[in-house]
Amino acid sequence: MRDEHIQLERLLEVGRLRDASQLLQRALGETPDDPSLHVYAARLCLAQSDTSGARDHVRQALRIAPDDMAARGALYEVELRDEQHAEAEQVLIPMIREQPRNAFLLATYARLMLVTFQLEKSRALVDEALRIDPEEPNVKLVDVLLAIVEGDRPRAEAQLQELIATDPDGEAIARTLLAWLCEQRRYAEALRLAQELLRVRPNDTELITCIIELRAATHWLGLPLWPQRRFGWLASVGLWFGFVVVVSVARRIDDAALALGLALSYLAYVIYSWTYDPLMRRWLRKRGL
Amino acid sequence: MREGARAVRLRAFAPAHLFDTLRQERRNVREDVEGGGTGIDHLLQPSLTQLGRQLPLYSVRAGFMVAFFGGGIASVLFTALNSQRLGRLARDAWWLLLGVVAFASLGIWTSHLARTGGELPWLGPAVENARELRYLNRALALAFFGLAYQAHRPYYKAAEFAGQTPPNPWGPGLVIAVLGVVAALAFHSLASFVPLLGASR
């Protein structure tokens, strides 16, 4: 690998996009027909949310080297980013046919199937990938996500523990752990982890949104919403049922004031539960992290 | 009555970029030496081309609200809407129809009892327990919503990981809730035309 490539790799990894851009401009000026440079340029564009620019660079790379796997992989990422899932699938399938025992590719396809609700196919692909390479981390990551989706918590937990044991500092693993903690409604721990991740990726807007939502979920002002946070919709149904029972009892003992008081309290709680999250998030955004 | 903290919407994990890890010289790819098939050809048929663009699901909260305010029929209709967006309406049709039949039967039966002065099991005269009947209908509608949520739960989770934003439910939700109320009135009218065996006068 050329020195420039190594440098670009490093700069993109740590998020020094301006430096990467300058280096790329220089390198492309010297060797405009290097497909790898166009792939790096596509990555840079994707990091800057410029899918149109990324697509142009990918086209350039494929024009120079139509069979270059990295360029085809870049095209896949661009289609995915543009939510052109069918097109992304059309890019990925031939790559898998060329490397049918590439567990990473199978895991990538499984992930695509997961986000397009083809859950049975996703599971079949993950199982095949695990059969080929049970230790490949990306396969395990998709397996964790799929297990969460399927409601198979023991499987998700077991895979996650193995992943953390092999690579405790891995960012992708940390993000998956974050998803797991949120799934378990362990919002305080999730918040701490998200804040650590933000130190590594300070410009990640989705992470910032995640932290704001977790802050709202763990703020002391949100304590009365604990039943809903812990038990979800069941708590809402239970509270409504409890309200109905209590008001019915108040009616039967002919205590109109009590019945009215209970009704107003319940209404106040409903309004509070509706308005707390949006107001808190707005306030947290204004206040800043 | 509000759902638990909205599940934090996370974009699926960001693995090492595909285009980075596919450099042949850096990957230890174990090729199929024999060059024969790998038995996964059936998995490598495109699934998404014929589906068209994926439609996002309506949120769980929207489903809960429609069930709460619109009743059983509204809950079934709203669930059918999500089934259709998932492309599994045919698969879900049997239990959706079962829901329609169950809620229609319940609506006609309770209306008939109210008209004829009949008694409900454990509750007594239907006329005197109209409020309890409404609570019962609502509870059953929420129970159906719970079952529908369980059936679609994996897809709600997958939508979270995909970072999908649920569409605005107000339009279809209001229409369906109104349809639910209209259906309840229709059952009330139908009750006068349906003779029920053993109904007390």
Side-chain angles (χ1 to χ4, degrees), chain B residues 14-197:
Chain B
H17 285 285
L18 182 63
F19 42 71
D20 176 45
T21 55
L22 286 178
R23 293 178 190 284
Q24 286 274 13
E25 65 273 15
R26 281 159 57 177
R27 288 218 46 91
N28 183 22
V29 174
R30 284 178 273 165
E31 300 292 344
D32 192 331
V33 177
E34 317 239 283
T38 60
I40 62 165
D41 284 337
H42 62 290
L43 293 176
L44 299 183
Q45 305 305 314
S47 300
L48 303 179
T49 330
Q50 55 269 39
L51 286 178
R53 201 164 177 88
Q54 207 70 33
L55 293 173
L57 290 177
Y58 288 105
S59 67
V60 178
R61 184 197 305 176
F64 182 90
M65 290 297 134
V66 167
F68 191 89
F69 290 109
I73 295 293
S75 186
V76 173
L77 289 175
F78 200 74
T79 305
L81 204 55
N82 265 344
S83 289
Q84 197 243 338
R85 283 170 164 265
L86 288 171
R88 48 176 287 161
L89 187 58
R91 214 162 119 184
D92 293 345
W94 71 270
W95 55 269
L96 291 170
L97 278 171
L98 205 60
V100 169
V101 168
F103 283 115
S105 304
L106 181 70
I108 293 171
W109 176 60
T110 53
S111 295
H112 183 82
L113 285 180
R115 277 175 181 270
T116 56
E119 293 208 351
L120 292 157
W122 301 299
L123 286 176
V127 171
E128 294 169 18
N129 291 285
R131 188 182 300 120
E132 280 73 14
L133 263 179
R134 280 199 303 276
Y135 291 153
L136 175 67
N137 274 314
R138 189 166 283 167
L140 289 172
L142 289 173
F144 181 86
F145 157 76
L147 290 173
Y149 173 74
Q150 280 306 313
H152 289 168
R153 187 189 168 281
Y155 301 99
Y156 283 119
K157 285 286 162 199
E160 280 177 31
F161 288 140
Q164 262 190 6
T165 305
N168 188 332
W170 281 101
L174 276 173
V175 167
I176 286 175
V178 166
L179 283 174
V181 171
V182 166
L185 292 171
F187 298 149
H188 191 74
S189 304
L190 270 174
S192 60
F193 296 105
V194 177
L196 290 174
L197 294 173

Side-chain angles (χ1 to χ4, degrees), chain A residues 268-280:
Chain A
Y269 182 78
V270 167
I271 292 170
Y272 159 78
S273 73
W274 269 96
T275 55
Y276 170 78
D277 271 330
L279 288 177
M280 177 57 76

Side-chain angles (χ1 to χ4, degrees), chain A residues 43 121 213 233 236 273, chain B residues 2-3 6 19 47 157:
Chain A
R43 276 177 68 177
K121 187 168 177 177
E213 291 180 354
W233 290 104
S236 296
S273 73
Chain B
R2 188 166 151 100
E3 87 275 20
R6 186 181 64 171
F19 42 71
S47 300
K157 285 286 162 199

